Amino acid sequence: MAKVLVVTSGKGGVGKTTSTAALGAALAQNGANVVVVDFDVGLRNLDLVMGAERRVVYDLINVVQGDAKLVQALIRDKRIENLSLLPASQTRDKDALTPEGVERVIGELKGKFDWVICDSSAGIEKGAMLAMYHADVAVVVTNPEVSSVRDSDRIIGMLDSKTAKAERGEAIEKHLLITRFDAGRAARGEMLSVDDVVEILSIPLLGIIPESEEVLRASNVGSPVTLASPAGIAARAYFDAARRLSGETVEMVVPMERKGLMSRLFGRRVA
Amino acid sequence: MILCTPYRLPLTPGTARHTSDYVTTDDTNPFIRLRGRSVMALVLAPEAPLATWLTALNAQVARAPTFFDGRPVLMDLGGLPANTPDVAGFLRALEGRGIRIIGTEGAHPSWPGIEAWGRPLPASGKAGRPITVPDETHATPAPAAGGEVNSLVIEQPVRSGQCVVFEKGDVTILGSIGSGAEVIAGGSIHVYGALRGRAIAGLAGNAKARIFCRRMEAELVVIDGVYQTADDMPAALIGKAAQAWLDGDQMKMTALDSTDTGDANGQSPGRNIRQGRRR
C-alpha cells in the first residue's frame, strides 16, 4: 500500500527540500520504490538537490494539465534506480495547480511507488495546501528557533483540519524532524532544546539532524546527503529517520562529529 | 467550538480603565460619567400573516432550543402592514418563547400598546447580516433537567492561527494554547498545558471569570475587557502554573502552587501593573 508523505514546515529555508531528498534517497537505498515530487511551483529546487536539473523535460504542471503523461515527466535517478523525481515548473505559478489534477497525479503515483514524497512550498498558500491535501503522513521540518516552531505549530493545525484525511474524520500521521540542530549551542541556551521543541509542538519526534557542512556540500554537488556522504553525521541521522518512518524502532541519538586530537587542534584553522 | 479567522482586538494600552469614558466637569458642578457602548443584537423581522410566521419560528426554536438564550433581540416591525391586529400581543407571545426583546424599530404609532416596548427606533436603512440558526438537535443532546451545556472541552492543542470562540461559558483545554492562537470564552479558561497565545475570558461582561494554566507564557490575557500583555506580567510567574483574576479593575496574577508565593504572586505592594481596558 503506497504512502503519501508531505514534507512541510510553514517557514522557508528550514530544510524541507534537503530533507525530502535525503529521506527519499534513504528510503530508496533501503529498497523501497520512491518518488519525490516538487510542489514548489515557480521556485523549484528539488531537481538541483537531486542533481537532475539538466534532465527536466516535462514537469508537474504539464502532467496536472494533461499536456504530458506521467511517465514522460518522471526522471529516474542515475545512482539509485528505484528513486524517481517529478520536478516542478519554474516558469509557471501555483495557480496552474488544480485540485482535480493533483488528485489524479497522486493517484497515479500511488499505483507505481511505495512512497510518494511531496516537497511542499513554504507558506500556507495554495501550493502548500495542495501538497499536504492527499498526505497520509506528514513530516514537519523545524529548526530549533522560535519563529520556525510557531510556523510549524500553524502547519500542524492545518494538517489536522485541511487535509483529505482530516475531512474524512481520520487522523493524519505527523512526525517532527528537527534540522540544523547544534548540541553545543542548545546547551548554551542559544537555541531551543529538543525537549522544548517537542513539548511545544507535541507530536512524535522522527529525528534530529545535526547542523553539518556535509549538507551544504551535498546540495552543491547535486546529491542527497544520504548518497553524497552516507557515513556523515547528517546522513546517519536521516537514515535513522527513514527507518523510523518505515516502522522500525531506532534509538534516538544525535550523531556527533568525532574529532581526533589533530583536528581538534587544527580543525578550526584549516577550515 | 467555532473556528474563525482571527481578529484583532482594538487594544489601547495605558492606565485608563474605560477607554470610552467621557468626563464632563467644571469648577462648581460635580461631574458625571458617560460611557459609550455598543452591543450586538439579533434582528427579527416578522412578516404577515403573523400566525404563519409564529409557526415557522416555533419550528426554528424546536431545532435550536438554546439559540435565543440570553441574546438581545431587536424587532424590526417595518415589514408589517399598518392594519396588523394586536402587534403588542404578538410581541408578548415572543417573550413567552424566551426571546428577550430590547426594543422595536419601524413600529407604526397607531398600534395599541406598542409604546410598552420602548420608544420605537427609526427604521434603519441597513438590513444587517443574515445569521443562520444552527440546527442543534443533532449537535447537542437536549440538556438534562436542571443542567445546561455551558462548558467546552478541547482535547487537542490549540495551534497557532486557530481561534476558539465559546460565548456560553467555560473552556477547558487539555493541551496547550500555542503562540499566535486565541481562545475566547464567555466564562473562565482552564489550560492544562502551556498558555502561550491569547486567552480572553469573561467576554460577555463576566468579571468573575478567571484564567488558569499549568504554564503561564501568554502573549495576552483579558478578563472582562481588562487586559495584560506579556511585557506587564510578573516575570517571576512566567513558566509557572498560574491564575489570573480581577480584583475590581486590577488584574491579579498568582502562582497556583501555594508554596510558591512571595514576590511571584504579582500583588506585592508598589508593583504598578500597566493595564488597560478594551471595549
Side-chain angles (χ1 to χ4, degrees):
Chain A
M1 183 63 189
K3 272 196 173 175
V4 181
L5 184 152
V6 62
V7 178
T8 184
S9 70
K11 195 174 186 300
V14 296
K16 281 184 297 299
T17 302
T18 304
S19 298
T20 302
L23 286 175
L27 285 166
Q29 282 163 285
N30 290 341
N33 209 359
V34 180
V35 61
V36 288
V37 185
D38 193 349
F39 266 87
D40 202 352
V41 178
L43 291 168
R44 75 173 197 217
N45 284 146
L46 188 57
D47 54 334
L48 290 170
V49 176
M50 298 289 290
E53 75 278 7
R54 295 153 69 96
R55 299 164 62 204
V56 176
V57 182
Y58 294 108
D59 56 47
L60 175 66
I61 298 291
N62 295 134
V63 183
V64 162
Q65 298 194 332
D67 302 332
K69 290 205 174 71
L70 183 60
V71 285
Q72 294 176 293
L74 284 173
I75 302 170
R76 183 171 286 186
D77 193 271
K78 283 185 170 169
R79 297 149 295 205
I80 319 169
E81 64 168 18
N82 50 340
L83 176 64
S84 296
L85 164 72
L86 181 56
S89 167
Q90 181 75 353
T91 51
R92 310 292 291 273
D93 64 30
K94 291 174 178 76
D95 292 334
L97 286 174
T98 60
E100 304 75 31
V102 170
E103 183 171 5
R104 181 174 52 80
V105 172
I106 297 277
E108 276 187 58
L109 290 171
K110 278 170 85 169
K112 290 178 188 290
F113 296 94
D114 302 324
W115 287 94
V116 179
I117 304 184
C118 306
D119 181 22
S120 171
S121 51
I124 51 173
E125 312 310 326
K126 191 175 175 186
M129 291 293 115
L130 282 173
M132 70 164 66
Y133 188 75
H134 298 283
D136 305 304
V137 185
V139 169
V140 180
V141 180
T142 306
N143 289 167
E145 49 99 16
V146 286
S147 60
S148 174
V149 170
R150 180 154 85 178
D151 290 358
S152 293
D153 196 40
R154 179 96 214 246
I155 281 291
I156 296 167
M158 294 188 146
L159 287 166
D160 284 335
S161 60
K162 300 259 163 82
T163 54
K165 272 205 147 185
E167 285 172 7
R168 291 196 300 266
E170 297 166 33
I172 183 167
E173 197 183 308
K174 300 176 291 281
H175 299 281
L176 175 63
L177 187 67
I178 298 179
T179 54
R180 312 199 65 168
F181 183 74
D182 184 327
R185 293 186 60 196
R188 290 194 297 275
E190 294 168 13
M191 226 178 219
L192 289 177
S193 72
V194 170
D195 288 348
D196 287 343
V197 180
V198 173
E199 199 268 323
I200 293 173
L201 295 178
S202 52
I203 58 172
L205 185 60
L206 180 71
I208 305 161
I209 314 298
E211 175 86 306
S212 159
E213 286 171 23
E214 294 154 8
V215 175
L216 184 63
R217 207 180 305 136
S219 294
N220 286 335
V221 300
S223 170
V225 68
T226 46
L227 278 172
S229 41
I233 53 170
R236 278 186 281 145
Y238 276 119
F239 278 121
D240 283 356
R243 286 169 61 195
R244 290 185 196 106
L245 268 182
S246 314
E248 285 181 55
T249 310
V250 183
E251 195 196 348
M252 188 69 67
V253 286
V254 187
M256 300 283 244
E257 213 87 61
R258 220 179 285 147
K259 283 187 178 166
L261 180 65
M262 294 306 276
S263 71
R264 258 185 236 202
L265 288 174
F266 301 111
R268 207 161 281 176
R269 215 177 300 161
V270 173
Chain B
M1 170 166 143
I2 307 161
L3 287 176
C4 68
T5 47
Y7 64 94
R8 294 284 139 247
L9 300 169
L11 296 171
T12 320
T15 48
R17 187 201 149 184
H18 306 294
T19 50
S20 57
D21 275 1
Y22 298 91
V23 179
T24 57
T25 180
D26 60 34
D27 292 343
T28 51
N29 291 332
F31 64 82
I32 57 159
R33 286 175 184 275
L34 299 174
R35 289 175 61 199
R37 173 132 197 252
S38 60
V39 293
M40 179 76 94
L42 290 174
V43 178
L44 272 181
E47 289 157 21
L50 290 179
T52 318
W53 190 83
L54 265 181
T55 315
L57 179 79
N58 285 343
Q60 193 101 77
V61 170
R63 280 203 303 277
T66 59
F67 181 71
F68 287 106
D69 283 7
R71 295 193 189 217
V73 172
L74 201 57
M75 295 303 301
D76 177 4
L77 304 172
L80 297 179
N83 61 0
T84 311
D86 197 20
V87 177
F90 164 71
L91 295 180
R92 275 197 299 277
L94 291 184
E95 285 217 314
R97 285 166 175 77
I99 294 174
R100 265 180 54 207
I101 300 174
I102 57 164
T104 62
E105 61 180 10
H108 202 273
S110 69
W111 288 336
I114 196 70
E115 61 280 358
W117 299 94
R119 217 172 274 272
L121 303 162
S124 71
K126 276 194 183 160
R129 186 170 47 88
I131 291 176
T132 317
V133 180
D135 195 342
E136 291 176 11
T137 32
H138 305 296
T140 45
E148 188 191 340
V149 180
N150 57 1
S151 64
L152 172 72
V153 177
I154 294 175
E155 298 191 22
Q156 311 88 16
V158 184
R159 303 280 182 183
S160 184
Q162 291 178 334
C163 169
V164 174
V165 183
F166 185 71
E167 288 174 35
K168 281 190 195 159
D170 292 8
V171 176
T172 305
I173 290 150
L174 297 185
S176 296
I177 300 178
S179 165
E182 193 166 65
V183 173
I184 301 173
S188 298
I189 297 175
H190 308 255
V191 188
Y192 284 88
L195 168 52
R196 300 194 176 91
R198 304 167 141 231
I200 293 151
L203 181 70
N206 179 2
K208 296 254 189 258
R210 293 186 180 209
I211 295 169
F212 305 87
C213 61
R214 279 260 295 270
R215 240 175 110 172
M216 175 62 80
E217 290 170 17
E219 291 164 349
L220 177 81
V221 288
V222 184
I223 300 173
D224 186 25
V226 178
Y227 70 86
Q228 213 170 82
T229 60
D231 264 7
D232 307 320
M233 290 171 197
L237 280 182
I238 304 301
K240 301 263 169 58
Q243 64 160 324
W245 79 97
L246 283 191
D247 180 9
D249 282 345
Q250 284 282 314
M251 181 176 291
K252 301 274 177 156
M253 228 181 250
T254 52
L256 281 176
D257 185 351
S258 55
T259 60
D260 188 17
T261 50
D263 193 42
N265 64 10
Q267 334 183 76
S268 53
R271 182 187 291 280
N272 184 16
I273 298 171
R274 193 166 68 96
Q275 58 183 18
R277 177 171 273 263
R278 56 119 208 151
R279 270 286 175 227

